[in-house]
Amino acid sequence: STFDARARSHAGARGLMQIMPSTGRLIARGRKERFSLNRLYDVKTNLDYGTSYFAKLLERFGQHPEVALAAYNGGPNRAARWWAKTPNHDVEIFVDSIPLGETRRYVKRVLSHYSVYRSLYGNKGENAASSERSPLPPPWASPSMRPFAEQVLSLKQQHPEKSKSPL
């Protein structure tokens, strides 16, 4: 969405979190709220719908963010089929074998952006008392992300003042 609250994708997704109208209707119905397409352009509603939908996808796909991201972008039924065909449920194989190029690039982009933020800001905002691991992997967890993570860490070392910025 490039942080554009009025964004609309070629597929029809709307708002900051690019919610499809059919998904918005389902979420609104589940909450017993009145739905209109304009609500998807309301920042608060869009963020609320998008984050709760992603949380449900994480729950559905066993806390595998790679699969939940693929479901968010390419549809949960497609992601479920792709995941079922993935040998040993290896997430790296899963990501690299997503048949829709747009979805594969989306998953990789979100994971790499997450890794950058995680590298720069650490665990700020997470529940310090929680013993659960973050639902997303650190940048070095995936060999395909390693060169990018090393570049980020190098920049962080060159500019330590930026890594102290509050989130």
Side-chain angles (χ1 to χ4, degrees), residues 30-121:
R31 295 174 175 200
K32 297 181 182 4
E33 296 175 355
R34 196 164 167 259
F35 177 78
S36 76
L37 286 177
N38 285 336
R39 293 201 68 206
L40 295 181
Y41 293 114
D42 175 73
V43 172
K44 185 179 182 313
T45 300
N46 192 278
L47 290 172
D48 184 34
Y49 279 21
T51 55
S52 66
Y53 180 57
F54 185 69
K56 286 184 188 305
L57 292 172
L58 272 173
E59 190 176 301
R60 175 177 174 179
F61 293 107
Q63 300 301 315
H64 291 286
E66 301 84 353
V67 185
L69 288 166
Y72 193 93
N73 184 266
N77 294 331
R78 283 181 181 156
R81 283 194 307 270
W82 302 333
W83 184 237
K85 293 178 184 176
T86 303
N88 301 316
H89 283 170
D90 182 306
V91 292
E92 191 160 332
I93 291 172
F94 171 77
V95 172
D96 287 337
S97 64
I98 294 172
L100 294 178
E102 178 183 340
T103 299
R104 185 176 52 255
R105 287 186 298 275
Y106 170 82
V107 171
K108 287 182 175 187
R109 188 172 58 246
V110 171
L111 290 173
S112 69
H113 289 178
Y114 176 82
S115 295
V116 170
Y117 285 115
R118 183 73 179 251
S119 170
L120 291 173
Y121 300 112

